[in-house]
Amino acid sequence: MDESLFEKLKILSDAAKYDVSCVSSGVERKNNTAGGIGNASAAGICHAWSSDGRCISLLKILLTNDCIYDCKYCLNKVTNNIKRATFTPEEVAELTIQFYRRNYIEGLFLSSAVEKSPDHTMENIYKVLYLLRYKYNFWGYVHVKVIPGASPLLIEKTGALADRMSVNIELPTRESLKILAPQKKIEKILEPMNLIKNEAARYIEDKKHSVNAPRFVPGGQSTQMIIGATPDSDRTILNVSQNLYDRFSMKRVFFSAYIPVVTSPNLPAVSSMPPLLREHRLYQADWLMRFYYFKSEELFTEIEPNLDLEFDPKMMYALRNLDRFPVEINKASYEDLLRVPGLGVTSAQRIIRERKNAEFSYDTLRRMKTVLKRARYFITVNGKYYGNTQFEPDAIKEEIRFKEIQKQLSIYEFI
């Protein structure tokens, strides 16, 4: 590899590490072109684990870190004194193909700072995809970032060649953007989200009538929010997430714990630690919203707008709503079972299915490998409660803490 190209790769792959919204797409794109290379597999891309246990990787880079914006939280802001580098579209396409042929990667995740203008940057991203698809005949997985403010035509052309697109909302409120990224406007961020949603819906509808309907972002769209750079509460963040799922059919909202890399009076001190546990709790809450029929407002109280750091969101919901528990395993609806801490989708489905044949006992649940260490405090089985403690929040919390201490002590005995 040319030395100057290798230096660009070092700079722009390192700069891409702050973008967390690359993940398995669920896309199945078969290579139907004579002489073409690569397939996009639904098993997963981007350092994800496939169903058969394989770790699948991709080339994750920025097209450029030379930015016209001065976002206070960003390492690539125009006023920051860092090494700058820019790939040409030809260089990105060639790197992707060379890495693929060496079996280093199975796809590409391409993001970018905004160089010169949104249209200039978006056009270069489009050129990368065009070269990959039609010069190199590469039909593997490609996820690209949309540049807010770019022309709709450029976004549409790029979406016709991409498997997934994402538009980073960055911060959860208009006020936060005004403080930390005044050059960015929420309207300019939401416009491409709406365009992608509409074009993807059109593709799905056209596909019903023709198997040869032009594809458009079959893996859907995602976005990312920075957590901890502003004082926005978890309630605000999850309400925004809920709105994004509802309005734009978003596949995923990613949360990125702010890593203090620049100095600003409006940001946490550089010496402070990223709020990683908070990020984890937000992902847990997001999971409840996507798969467990929770709404964001159910996870908070009027006086507490943030998620608890000691107990997960589902546990805290149950403790605050004990009037809805315990639920009877042999009678509860599927939706009620999903709200029991410790019970997942698979366990709830199995209980609904198997209890048609015979009533469940507590031993039956254990033999089914149902995780009962949390669930036992919120269920009855044939009318019997197995929590072994008072049915009130503080008592349940203390019992769980005690069990955790016992578990830790038992581990230490084997060290």
Side-chain angles (χ1 to χ4, degrees):
M1 186 186 294
D2 177 82
E3 189 173 332
S4 63
L5 188 59
F6 181 71
E7 181 65 18
K8 286 183 186 181
L9 182 60
K10 283 203 310 184
I11 293 169
L12 295 172
S13 59
D14 184 65
K17 68 187 178 184
Y18 299 106
D19 200 322
V20 301
S21 59
C22 60
V23 73
S24 171
S25 68
V27 172
E28 192 78 45
R29 182 199 289 273
K30 293 298 182 184
N31 180 0
N32 296 317
T33 308
I37 57 175
N39 290 291
S41 169
I45 299 291
C46 305
H47 303 110
W49 294 99
S50 67
S51 57
D52 61 0
R54 292 178 300 126
C55 181
I56 305 176
S57 58
L58 83 169
L59 177 60
K60 181 183 178 185
I61 54 174
L62 298 187
L63 183 64
T64 179
N65 68 344
D66 194 358
C67 196
I68 62 173
Y69 293 151
D70 194 25
C71 303
K72 301 294 186 289
Y73 53 83
C74 185
L75 191 64
N76 299 319
K77 64 180 181 175
V78 67
T79 55
N80 210 21
N81 184 23
I82 59 169
K83 279 189 177 182
R84 305 287 177 174
T86 300
F87 283 125
T88 65
E90 291 77 11
E91 287 172 335
V92 176
E94 179 66 24
L95 275 172
T96 303
I97 294 303
Q98 292 302 325
F99 276 49
Y100 178 82
R101 286 172 175 161
R102 288 171 171 79
N103 201 30
Y104 295 159
I105 61 165
E106 294 188 41
L108 171 68
F109 176 90
L110 182 63
S111 187
S112 184
V114 183
E115 182 189 38
K116 295 184 181 179
S117 72
D119 275 353
H120 172 83
T121 308
M122 198 72 228
E123 180 149 11
N124 280 336
I125 290 173
Y126 166 72
K127 286 178 181 176
V128 171
L129 269 70
Y130 186 87
L131 288 168
L132 283 171
R133 299 309 194 198
Y134 296 115
K135 178 180 178 180
Y136 293 101
N137 222 0
F138 175 75
W139 298 97
Y141 176 81
V142 179
H143 178 169
V144 297
K145 281 304 171 79
V146 175
I147 307 301
S151 83
L153 180 59
L154 277 172
I155 296 170
E156 288 175 25
K157 287 168 59 178
T158 307
L161 300 177
D163 294 294
R164 173 172 279 193
M165 301 179 89
S166 47
V167 189
N168 281 357
I169 196 168
E170 303 288 7
L171 297 166
T173 63
R174 190 186 302 271
E175 292 73 23
S176 296
L177 276 174
K178 188 175 181 179
I179 294 169
L180 296 184
Q183 292 162 290
K184 294 182 177 179
K185 306 299 178 188
I186 190 65
E187 292 79 12
K188 291 294 184 182
I189 295 171
L190 299 182
E191 282 171 10
M193 288 183 182
N194 198 48
L195 184 152
I196 294 168
K197 174 202 169 185
N198 292 337
E199 290 299 316
R202 184 177 302 153
Y203 156 65
I204 292 170
E205 188 61 32
D206 290 347
K207 190 179 175 184
K208 294 177 183 176
H209 307 290
S210 171
V211 293
N212 296 317
R215 296 167 67 90
F216 188 88
V217 195
Q221 63 173 318
S222 58
T223 190
Q224 172 177 309
M225 273 190 279
I226 299 167
I227 306 306
T230 62
D232 296 297
S233 68
D234 293 343
R235 183 206 296 270
T236 298
I237 291 164
L238 288 175
N239 282 347
V240 171
S241 299
Q242 184 88 63
N243 191 36
L244 291 170
Y245 286 126
D246 294 343
R247 280 185 64 187
F248 302 112
S249 305
M250 200 68 61
K251 291 291 185 181
R252 285 290 304 273
V253 176
F254 290 87
F255 308 105
S256 178
Y258 174 66
I259 301 172
V261 290
V262 290
T263 302
S264 169
N266 294 319
L267 288 170
V270 173
S271 59
S272 61
M273 297 296 292
L276 297 177
L277 180 54
R278 184 185 181 196
E279 177 193 280
H280 178 59
R281 291 286 183 246
L282 285 165
Y283 274 119
Q284 289 177 320
D286 177 77
W287 191 264
L288 295 180
M289 289 159 52
R290 290 191 296 129
F291 298 109
Y292 288 74
Y293 305 103
F294 278 81
K295 295 295 183 182
S296 58
E297 282 297 333
E298 295 181 272
L299 302 172
F300 303 96
T301 66
E302 290 300 320
I303 61 172
E304 185 46 73
N306 292 306
L307 298 171
D308 190 82
L309 295 182
E310 182 181 10
F311 295 100
D312 66 79
K314 196 176 180 185
M315 172 66 73
M316 289 305 299
Y317 167 83
L319 291 171
R320 287 196 298 259
N321 294 276
L322 280 184
D323 57 310
R324 303 184 185 184
F325 299 92
V327 301
E328 170 55 49
I329 284 291
N330 286 296
K331 295 179 181 178
S333 67
Y334 175 66
E335 289 75 14
D336 286 342
L337 289 174
L338 284 181
R339 298 200 165 217
V340 175
L343 291 188
V345 171
T346 301
S347 294
Q349 288 175 343
R350 186 180 296 174
I351 289 168
I352 293 292
R353 184 174 63 250
E354 297 297 330
R355 74 186 186 188
K356 293 177 183 177
N357 303 319
E359 279 194 336
F360 273 89
S361 67
Y362 193 74
D363 286 340
T364 305
L365 287 174
R366 295 173 70 174
R367 285 197 298 271
M368 284 174 51
K369 298 184 178 178
T370 306
V371 180
L372 295 169
K373 67 177 184 178
R374 298 289 176 99
R376 60 191 292 186
Y377 303 106
F378 303 96
I379 63 171
T380 57
V381 185
N382 291 320
K384 184 175 179 180
Y385 181 63
Y386 288 85
N388 296 326
T389 188
Q390 287 180 287
F391 188 64
E392 59 94 15
D394 289 340
I396 293 172
K397 284 182 180 180
E398 284 303 314
E399 181 70 11
I400 291 171
R401 291 185 186 115
F402 178 70
K403 295 290 184 184
E404 287 296 321
I405 291 171
Q406 282 188 318
K407 180 181 176 182
Q408 293 298 323
L409 291 174
S410 66
I411 291 173
Y412 293 147
E413 290 177 2
F414 293 94
I415 297 177

